[in-house]
Amino acid sequence: MLWSLRTRLDERPLLSNDLAVMEYARVAQGFAHREIVRVLYLDAGNRLLAEEELARGTVDEAPIYIREIIRRALELGATGLIIAHNHPSGDVTPSRSDRTITDMLAKAGKPLGIRVLDHVLVSRDQAVSFHALGWL
């Protein structure tokens, strides 16, 4: 099933496909018992260049290293990215920390031409998109 969902990500621009991104992230990491951070790197047409697991954390936090995300985006020639992580508690309400790190990442990427297109939070049966909420 994960392969099938991943194939849909490869087929068309991701910014116009929030539901496919949320469903992929939910299936890929929503059932994990600790937080996993995943980054999807996109080209100028918002098509997937690479999808990588950035970090595995504990039951309630995972490290997100802005420097490493930006470094990898530059290596890939990415102009956009989507960050996704799970909340093992099942509550996908974005924390203050989630919002802060997203803002910091967006500010770091902006002068380099790298846009944060979305931050997706998932659990076993829920997903929330910062883009859909109008926060990005």
Side-chain angles (χ1 to χ4, degrees), residues 90-135:
D91 180 5
V92 294
T93 304
S95 69
R96 180 174 301 189
S97 167
D98 294 334
R99 294 198 63 180
T100 299
I101 199 76
T102 304
D103 290 342
M104 290 171 62
L105 184 57
K107 287 177 184 169
K110 188 173 183 174
L112 301 170
I114 300 167
R115 296 177 304 135
V116 177
L117 302 172
D118 208 347
H119 186 159
V120 175
L121 303 178
V122 298
S123 69
R124 289 174 190 252
D125 30 320
Q126 296 180 17
V128 66
S129 157
F130 282 32
H131 179 257
L133 292 172
W135 294 350

Side-chain angles (χ1 to χ4, degrees), residues 44-94:
N46 293 327
R47 290 176 300 271
L48 189 64
L49 291 171
E51 177 251 339
E52 300 174 355
E53 186 176 297
L54 178 69
R56 287 181 176 256
T58 64
V59 296
D60 62 353
E61 68 180 352
I64 297 177
Y65 301 110
I66 293 170
R67 168 185 249 158
E68 292 303 310
I69 295 171
I70 297 298
R71 179 190 60 77
R72 186 65 176 137
L74 291 169
E75 284 176 357
L76 293 168
T79 59
L81 58 88
I82 296 171
I83 188 166
H85 79 276
N86 62 307
H87 281 182
S89 69
D91 180 5
V92 294
T93 304

